[in-house]
Every structure is written in C-alpha cells, then in structure tokens.
Amino acid sequence: MKSPSKSSYFIKISLFLVLLFAADLLMAASTDQSAQVQNSQQVSPRRGGRFQRRVEGLYKNQITPNWFAENTRFWYRNDLSGDTKEFILIDAEKGTRRKAFDHAKLAEALSKAANGEYSAEKLPFNTIQFSANGDSILFSTDGKAWEYNLSTYELSPSDAALSTSEENEQSQQGRRFQRGQRGQRGQRRGPGQFGSGRQSPESSDGKWTAFIKDNNVYIRSNDTNQEIQLSTDGEEGMAYGRLSWAPDSNTLVGFRIEPGDHKEVYLIRSSPPEGGRAVMSSRPYELPGDKFDSYELNIFNVTDRKQIKPDLERIDFGSPRIRWNQDGYHFTYEKVDRGHQRFRIIEVNTKDGSWRNIIDQKSDTFIWTMHTENLSLNRVNWLEKTDEIIYVSEMDGWRHIYLVDAKQGKISNQITKGQWVVRGIDLIDEDARQIWFNASGKNADQDPYLIHYYRINFDGTDLVELTKGNGNHTIQYSPDRKYIIDTYSRVDMAPVHELRRTSDGKLVCELEKADISELIADGWEAPEVFVAKGRDGKTDIWGIISRPKDFDPGKKYPIIEDIYAGPQSSFTPKTFSARNRYQALNDLGFIVVKLDGMGTANRSKAFHDVCWKNLKDAGFPDRILWIKAAAKKYPYMDIERVGAYGTSAGGQNAAGSVLFHPEFYKVAVANCGCHDNRMDKASWNEQWMGYPVGPQYSECSNIDNAYRLQGSLFLIVGEMDTNVPPESTMRFVDALIKAEKDFDLLVVPNGGHGAGGQYGQRRLQDFFVRHLMGKETPNRNAQTQEPGNS
C-alpha cells in the first residue's frame, strides 16, 4: 500500500476528530444513560432503535404518534429531504394509512387566506390538532390559529387554542419502551404505608420516636417525653443503626453494625485549572477482600421491652432493606452472600425470631446480582395483591421469569422457558396476571442479541409475540395498550416502523421505512454482520466488520479490534446508525472489528460463566477464531497485523491481548485499564473473580504478567479517574519497567475515565499507524503555533 503524504494524514486525523465528536454526540443523545456500561469510551449497543430527528441524509427514522379519537387514530409528521415534510394519519381500527389532509389544497387555501406563498411540501407549521369529530384540523402559523375543514377544504381563522407540545406528549402519545428502562410494577408503597414498614424515627401511630443514644436503641414517648432503653449491647465499633418500625408500631427492627475498613483511594490533581500547588483528594473505595460493614439483626418488642436476636448470619454485603408483610409481624429482606454464589429472600417472624428462606438460590459460579444496569428489570418483584413474587433467575441455564409462592416458600411455576434470555420487564399486570417483557434469542433464524417484545400469563401459557421483524426492536404503546408502534433495525438495515395489535401481535398496517438514499449516495456503507464458530466448534460468535470507504479487495489491510469483554453486558452494536464510529480508523486504512466472545452476557449462563475467576480469558479464543474465519473468507484481512484497543475493562483486555496472546495481537492501546482486579471496585470484581481473593487474581493480573509483554503497547490514563483508580495503570507501568519492557505512556492531567480526549485519540491513531502499518506519522513538534491561536 502506498504511504500517505503528511498533508493527507493531517486531513484524515482532523476528519477523525470531527467525526469522533459527532459520533459521541449522536450516541450520547440516543443511548439511554441508565444502560451505559462502566467505561466512558465504550458505548453499549444502541437500545431499541431511537435516533435523532435531524440526521443529515436520514429520513423517516422515527415516529412520534399523536393519538386521538379514543386512541383509535393517530397522526405523525415525517421530516423529509430538503426541509420538506408531510403529515400522516393512521386509523388503527381500519388498518389504513394516508395523508392527514390534502397538503396541496391546504397550501393553496393558506396562501390565499394569509396573503402569502406556501407550498404543499413546506407548510409553515409542525403540529396539528384534530377536532373531536375528526372533520377538521387546527394549526397555527405566525401567531395566528386556523381551522381547516377536511371535507369542504375551507380554511378559516380560529379562536381555539392548540394543545402545547408538552400536553400532546402527555395526553396523546403512547408509552415508549426502550432497552435500559425499568418496567412498571404498579404503585410503590412509600414509608408509613401498610406493608412498607416505617423508616422515619416516629412510629406509625405517632406515639413513639426511636433514636440511637450511646450506641444503643432508645424510644421516647411523644406524650410524656419518657426515654426507654431497649438495648444494652451496643458499643463503639458495634453500634446500633438502621431502625425500622413495623406498621403496627409494636415492633422495632434494628441492626448492630460492625464497620468495615472504609479504606480510601487517592487522586492527585497535578495541574489545577486555577494554578498553584497540586491538590490531593481521597474517597472511600472498597477493593476485593476489604472488610465491609456487617449487620446483625435485632428485634425489639415495644410493649414488653423484649429483645430478640434471630439465629441468622450477619449481612456482610450491601445494606439491609426491610419489607414488611401484610400481616404486620413478618418481614423479609434480600441477602447476597459475599462472592455472589448465594442469594436469599429471608422471612423473619418478629414474635419469636424464627425465620425461613423463601428463595434460596446457589451457584457454583456466580449469581448476577450487581452491575445489572444493562438489564431492564428487577430480579425480585413483589406482587401487591397476593403473597407472590415474580422472580428472575438463570437457575435453568438461561435468564427466565418464575412465579414464587411466598407463603409456601417455593416456586409455583416457571413462567418463561427455552434457550433464550429475558432482557427486560415492561409491565407486571396483576389483575390480568400477565407480564409484558422483552427478550433475545428466541428467533432461531436471527441474531440472538436482537430484542423482541412479548406478553405471557403468570402460569406460562399464551405467549404472544408482539414483534416479528428481523431486527432490534423498540415499541411505543398506545395509551390504552391496544396497539404498538414497532420500530426495528439492524446495523445493516435502516429502521422499519409497523403498527401492531397487542391482543395477538398481528400486523395492522405498515407505517414507514427509513429513507437512507442520500446517505448511500454520499458513500455511507453499513458494517457487515459476521458470524463464526467459537472455541467449542458449536456456538455462534456474532460481530461486525467495518471497512475503509475506498476499500480495494486486492490490497491487504491491518485489523484493529475494538474490545470490551466486561461480563456485565454485550457490546457489539445491533441497531442502525447513520454514523460510522470507526470511519476515521477506516479512512486511515484499517479494517475494524467488534464482537462479543464467551464470558460476556445475554447468552446462556454457560456462555457467561466462562469469565468466572478467569477475566484474562476475555473471550480471546473465540475472538481469534472469529477474526481468522473472517480473514479466511476475506483474504485482504491481514491476520499478521492485528491490534486492539479498549477502555476500562476493555483497557485490561487490550493490554491482555499482547500479554497472553502475542502470537496473534501485535499492537494494543489500553485506556484507563483495570490492570489488576484486586485494585478495582469490589462489587464488580468479586462477582466475576470470586471471593475470597485467591491465586486467580494474580493469574489474571496484567501487572503480575507484565513480563509476558511482546509487541507494542500504549497506555493512557487520566490522573483524576474516579472509576478505575489510576494507580492500576501506574503499577502496571512499574511492573513493565522492572521487567525491562518498552512501552508508551500518556498520563492526562485532570483527565477522568476515558480515552484522553482529542489528544489521546490522535495519539492512539498515530500509534496504530506506526506499529501496525510501519509508517511514519507527521512530526507535530515542528509546529510552533501557540495553543488556542488559529
């Protein structure tokens, strides 16, 4: 391949930086933040197909419905090429789609009435409102309201006030469900309501105030101000706290708390913006193996001043949250054993301190209880009207929903089952005894990560598939939930919109297909979805390939993998995007790939379990086979020149590629990496790496394996990283120096958890160009222009 000139290289780098920020803005706007992964550079798959309304060259990419006529009809606006638009009317009962009105006749009438020039394609308003009988529409322009009769085509001034866009959103638009949203589970009980317990110091009947004095539990009569001591065993280092009143005000629950280590991490801001000396800050940060706060359960009977200590082990992971039963004298709480191999719902009888396990789930590996932010569900869902629990578990090898009889303390039945995974719960309808949920993997002929929506009865019968198309779905319910607007897409297929009935999931009518003709004319190309077998020779591994725009199959192209193997989700994009996040790398002559290997989530439990006590695996055996399979099909992919980059856990993975698999990966850029799992947050690492801390932590440590480095490694770290402590990278640096290894290092003053901004991204690009392409990059030190001057 011919070496690019320095000027053309500068142009490509500049284009990269512009596109980087554009892609970040687009991704940030379209990704539900509650579903973001822990690293700031790595972006989760876009949830369910929502896009910015104004994306140049992309039209009809979303529908915003405005329901009326008792939720049997709705209209929406399509913004089209050349700043034109159209208004569409849907009759859900009849299954018809047509223009909301005659655009040409309205434009003619408005031009005459307003003494102006208006065209059918560029009407001067963005919203309309149908009359109660649907015979006319209201709109306003230039501060004046008009009424247009749809039968007579007469236009007349109107005194009626149009609903605001906010009112339309609230009253007309159906509920939209996207990945990353928590489902509705009915109205939650607040403090003091029956069944919730009392979290405030005052009892429900207003007679008593509970408080801590000299490390012990006291109550004070609100009538006489008399203080009564209920406990005597509280002491410094074992003080009482977290008091909770029973709904009947006769019982008080409290915990004797032994504090944990509460150790801190330290950050040094070397270059404060205001100048002056460096500034050190610290904050609590629990690491694997640290001592946590532990909670000993105690029950106090206010009437007879009796104290009960149930024969229960302490809560040593997380803090207790009490839920009172409807009988008023039983309560439950959830307990996750440290190491995440056992999960229980424990019920306690306050009269005698007896207890039982309603749910007691154990695993030889891990139970996914923490860092579930990429799941749109709660594991435990208490029903309001019965003593039942909707419970989500992977106990049968796949994530499914179970109905638990809390009174009997056993599973009544498995609600969903099969070789697919539940990804979210949208609604639990107790009256109808139905669950509305979304899942992936049920359609055997589709990518197993694609989201589809369903409804099922509590007893596991009458599963209704609400969505059909081969794509990643999001839905918008009509206000009465009788219909859904189903939008689906893939990375290689633009959005499609359909109207469907929720009663049976049948298609009512097709709505729109996104128009990407201008994108294609401008040279846009979709990434290729590629599938190959994993290490077991049976399991499909799914990923994407992004090629240079001026791709020539007669040439050889180096390969860069964007890697993130954190077990808390799956990360390959599944939804259409008008932007190619890899365009800058592609334009520099790299083929970029991204895939999800074993050890990541949203497949079977066995697939997920590969990460257990073995995060250094990172799916590499699958990744290498996948890239080799792609190169076998496409010989222009040069498997002699493969690199990787990633951030956070992806930084650990990227560095691990040249430590543990240097025969395949030759170059790596690791941003803010978690290079030793003993030095990162306990909640994340103990779940995947196990507890207590054992030799597996050292075996997976980039620091302890620094001597293995072959190839070229570039480390980037922000000195103010509040996610992964920067010392993780610096100790890796120390180990590399002691091992006499060569590497590059960029420490970003004031930088947080990310890729080092513009400068870091440019350095990343230079590093790959030099070490994967073997080419010289421009001498930027030859520039003498002062920063900030143009």
Side-chain angles (χ1 to χ4, degrees):
M1 179 183 276
K2 184 179 178 181
S3 299
S5 68
K6 290 187 176 182
S7 61
S8 66
Y9 186 84
F10 273 125
I11 292 172
K12 289 178 178 179
I13 285 292
S14 299
L15 177 61
F16 162 74
L17 296 173
V18 171
L19 289 169
L20 171 72
F21 287 120
D24 284 348
L25 287 172
L26 179 65
M27 201 68 79
S30 60
T31 303
D32 184 272
Q33 295 303 311
S34 67
Q36 279 194 322
V37 296
Q38 74 165 17
N39 65 35
S40 61
Q41 182 205 17
Q42 194 72 30
V43 181
S44 299
R46 303 254 308 278
R47 308 297 184 198
R50 297 300 298 169
F51 301 91
Q52 290 293 299
R53 182 182 297 276
R54 296 286 187 179
V55 178
E56 187 176 354
L58 174 62
Y59 308 103
K60 300 183 180 181
N61 58 306
Q62 72 173 22
I63 288 178
T64 301
N66 297 271
W67 291 88
F68 66 101
E70 297 182 337
N71 304 317
T72 62
R73 306 169 78 190
F74 66 91
W75 67 268
Y76 59 89
R77 188 185 74 243
N78 283 328
D79 294 329
L80 307 173
S81 178
D83 289 327
T84 61
K85 58 195 167 193
E86 62 180 1
F87 295 82
I88 304 298
L89 176 65
I90 305 298
D91 189 317
E93 288 186 332
K94 297 178 180 178
T96 59
R97 174 197 181 277
R98 61 181 175 85
K99 291 285 185 70
F101 52 85
D102 189 316
H103 290 50
K105 289 184 178 180
L106 190 152
E108 180 182 357
L110 183 60
S111 297
K112 185 182 297 183
N115 195 25
E117 291 279 343
Y118 299 102
S119 68
E121 295 79 19
K122 295 186 177 182
L123 291 168
F125 51 86
N126 289 323
T127 188
I128 60 176
Q129 184 174 314
F130 277 82
S131 61
N133 59 13
D135 290 342
S136 63
I137 60 170
L138 294 174
F139 65 90
S140 64
T141 181
D142 295 327
K144 187 173 183 178
W146 300 88
E147 182 173 5
Y148 181 66
N149 190 295
L150 299 176
S151 299
T152 66
Y153 310 117
E154 292 179 356
L155 181 67
S156 58
S158 174
D159 295 329
L162 269 71
S163 300
T164 65
S165 58
E166 182 178 352
E167 288 171 342
N168 284 338
E169 179 77 14
Q170 293 175 349
S171 64
Q172 294 178 324
Q173 186 173 331
R175 170 86 189 251
R176 176 180 298 128
F177 276 94
Q178 293 176 265
R179 295 286 303 127
Q181 290 180 325
R182 300 282 177 175
Q184 296 177 325
R185 274 165 287 278
Q187 186 175 3
R188 293 180 180 272
R189 298 187 178 104
Q193 291 180 308
F194 188 78
S196 70
R198 189 74 171 171
Q199 302 300 322
S200 68
E202 188 173 285
S203 60
S204 296
D205 61 9
K207 293 181 179 180
W208 301 100
T209 296
F211 61 99
I212 304 299
K213 178 180 176 181
D214 298 330
N215 303 311
N216 280 289
V217 179
Y218 284 72
I219 56 174
R220 180 188 300 114
S221 169
N222 292 339
D223 292 331
T224 66
N225 217 33
Q226 177 190 9
E227 291 185 358
I228 300 173
Q229 185 172 355
L230 296 182
S231 72
T232 58
D233 57 344
E235 60 187 14
E236 191 68 31
M238 281 296 288
Y240 277 90
R242 301 191 69 87
L243 305 179
S244 177
W245 282 102
D248 62 6
S249 301
N250 290 324
T251 303
L252 184 65
V253 173
F255 291 87
R256 205 163 59 121
I257 305 169
E258 182 176 1
D261 291 336
H262 296 173
K263 293 180 180 179
E264 296 183 322
V265 293
Y266 301 90
L267 301 175
I268 296 179
R269 190 182 295 275
S270 66
S271 307
E274 65 277 8
R277 299 180 183 224
V279 178
M280 185 178 76
S281 61
S282 64
R283 64 188 178 93
Y285 193 95
E286 293 172 332
L287 296 177
D290 282 1
K291 179 184 176 183
F292 295 168
D293 292 352
S294 63
Y295 302 83
E296 176 196 80
L297 176 63
N298 287 262
I299 301 169
F300 303 94
N301 186 296
V302 174
T303 303
D304 59 15
R305 315 293 189 258
K306 181 181 178 182
Q307 179 179 0
I308 301 174
K309 286 183 179 289
D311 183 21
L312 277 163
E313 59 195 274
R314 295 181 184 179
I315 297 171
D316 63 352
F317 182 85
S319 54
R321 299 182 64 182
I322 298 298
R323 179 191 183 276
W324 289 92
N325 293 10
Q326 293 185 12
D327 62 18
Y329 67 91
H330 286 92
F331 67 84
T332 60
Y333 63 93
E334 298 176 17
K335 186 179 189 307
V336 177
D337 282 14
R338 191 150 181 197
H340 305 265
Q341 292 184 283
R342 188 181 188 187
F343 171 77
R344 283 174 283 175
I345 296 180
I346 300 174
E347 182 185 76
V348 180
N349 185 329
T350 60
K351 292 182 177 181
D352 57 14
S354 61
W355 59 273
R356 66 187 178 111
N357 294 321
I358 294 176
I359 291 176
D360 186 1
Q361 183 180 349
K362 300 176 184 178
S363 172
D364 292 333
T365 55
F366 61 87
I367 300 172
W368 189 6
T369 59
M370 294 295 295
H371 298 277
T372 59
E373 57 270 19
N374 293 294
L375 296 177
S376 304
L377 51 80
N378 291 327
R379 185 173 60 258
V380 176
N381 306 269
W382 283 92
L383 300 184
E384 302 286 334
K385 300 178 180 180
T386 60
D387 285 331
E388 293 175 300
I389 302 169
I390 299 297
Y391 181 56
V392 180
S393 171
E394 294 179 297
M395 66 178 72
D396 79 339
W398 303 82
R399 190 182 313 116
H400 281 299
I401 306 173
Y402 296 79
L403 181 65
V404 176
D405 184 329
K407 190 173 183 179
Q408 297 296 323
K410 65 179 183 180
I411 294 174
S412 298
N413 60 271
Q414 183 171 352
I415 298 174
T416 61
K417 61 182 65 176
Q419 295 187 4
W420 45 277
V421 295
V422 173
R423 301 281 292 275
I425 293 177
D426 300 338
L427 177 71
I428 296 173
D429 186 340
E430 291 191 54
D431 293 330
R433 294 186 69 79
Q434 293 179 331
I435 301 174
W436 304 64
F437 69 98
N438 57 74
S440 60
K442 193 173 186 306
N443 298 71
D445 60 339
Q446 297 182 20
D447 180 336
Y449 295 95
L450 298 180
I451 299 293
H452 282 266
Y453 286 76
Y454 305 87
R455 185 184 64 250
I456 195 169
N457 293 334
F458 280 11
D459 63 5
T461 61
D462 294 335
L463 177 65
V464 177
E465 186 178 23
L466 300 176
T467 58
K468 300 286 186 181
N470 185 355
N472 209 33
H473 293 253
T474 185
I475 61 176
Q476 300 178 69
Y477 290 106
S478 63
D480 57 8
R481 298 182 75 92
K482 290 183 178 180
Y483 301 96
I484 59 169
I485 294 172
D486 174 23
T487 296
Y488 62 96
S489 70
R490 300 190 306 269
V491 293
D492 57 354
M493 186 187 77
V496 175
H497 313 278
E498 298 174 341
L499 180 66
R500 292 184 171 274
R501 284 194 304 267
T502 59
S503 59
D504 55 12
K506 297 295 185 182
L507 178 69
V508 175
C509 69
E510 295 179 353
L511 300 177
E512 306 290 346
K513 292 183 178 179
D515 179 1
I516 60 171
S517 56
E518 289 185 10
L519 287 177
I520 294 173
D522 195 41
W524 177 89
E525 293 182 2
E528 178 185 349
V529 177
F530 187 78
V531 187
K533 298 299 180 185
R535 70 189 76 184
D536 60 3
K538 300 181 294 183
T539 304
D540 284 338
I541 304 298
W542 290 72
I544 59 172
I545 302 171
S546 183
R547 299 175 177 83
K549 185 179 292 187
D550 57 355
F551 162 73
D552 180 351
K555 297 180 179 180
K556 284 279 191 178
Y557 292 87
I559 305 162
I560 296 176
E561 180 181 357
D562 171 12
I563 188 170
Y564 189 93
Q568 78 272 23
S569 192
S570 51
F571 304 96
T572 303
K574 299 298 174 183
T575 299
F576 181 86
S577 174
R579 299 288 184 262
N580 174 12
R581 65 180 303 197
Y582 303 122
Q583 183 172 339
L585 286 167
N586 292 155
D587 287 350
L588 290 171
F590 298 103
I591 287 177
V592 184
V593 301
K594 189 169 184 63
L595 60 141
D596 291 297
M598 292 187 188
T600 53
N602 300 323
R603 298 287 289 275
S604 69
K605 184 69 167 69
F607 190 102
H608 204 185
D609 278 347
V610 170
C611 73
W612 172 241
K613 292 188 176 182
N614 191 22
L615 285 179
K616 77 176 187 300
D617 179 277
F620 278 123
D622 312 302
R623 297 172 188 279
I624 293 170
L625 287 171
W626 188 94
I627 294 173
K628 286 181 176 180
K632 183 177 181 180
K633 182 176 181 180
Y634 304 116
Y636 49 77
M637 295 177 66
D638 189 352
I639 58 171
E640 298 302 317
R641 294 184 293 164
V642 181
Y645 75 93
T647 296
S648 195
Q652 177 184 12
N653 307 145
S657 71
V658 289
L659 297 179
F660 301 110
H661 300 278
E663 76 290 346
F664 189 77
Y665 294 93
K666 303 298 190 281
V667 184
V669 179
N671 298 317
C672 300
C674 167
H675 295 293
D676 190 308
N677 298 105
R678 293 167 291 191
M679 299 177 64
D680 187 39
K681 61 195 73 62
S683 61
W684 199 88
N685 292 278
E686 287 187 1
Q687 181 166 230
W688 317 121
M689 288 294 293
Y691 175 84
V693 173
Q696 72 273 16
Y697 280 82
S698 177
E699 293 165 4
C700 292
S701 167
N702 288 347
I703 296 171
D704 290 354
N705 288 279
Y707 69 92
R708 298 177 181 273
L709 175 63
Q710 298 182 45
S712 302
L713 174 63
F714 179 25
L715 301 174
I716 302 174
V717 64
E719 67 176 6
M720 298 303 294
D721 190 337
T722 57
N723 189 334
V724 177
E727 62 207 62
S728 183
T729 294
M730 299 313 297
R731 292 194 194 181
F732 189 24
V733 167
D734 182 54
L736 289 167
I737 291 172
K738 290 176 178 176
E740 296 286 339
K741 295 295 182 178
D742 291 335
F743 59 96
D744 282 20
L745 171 67
L746 171 62
V747 179
V748 182
N750 299 309
H753 190 66
Q758 278 187 319
Y759 182 77
Q761 289 299 309
R762 192 263 290 169
R763 289 284 303 275
L764 175 148
Q765 295 299 314
D766 284 356
F767 195 79
F768 280 126
V769 168
R770 287 197 303 272
H771 294 284
L772 269 188
M773 289 183 169
K775 299 174 183 177
E776 289 299 318
T777 55
N779 179 11
R780 291 176 176 81
N781 291 348
Q783 302 177 59
T784 58
Q785 180 175 292
E786 291 186 16
N789 291 341
S790 56

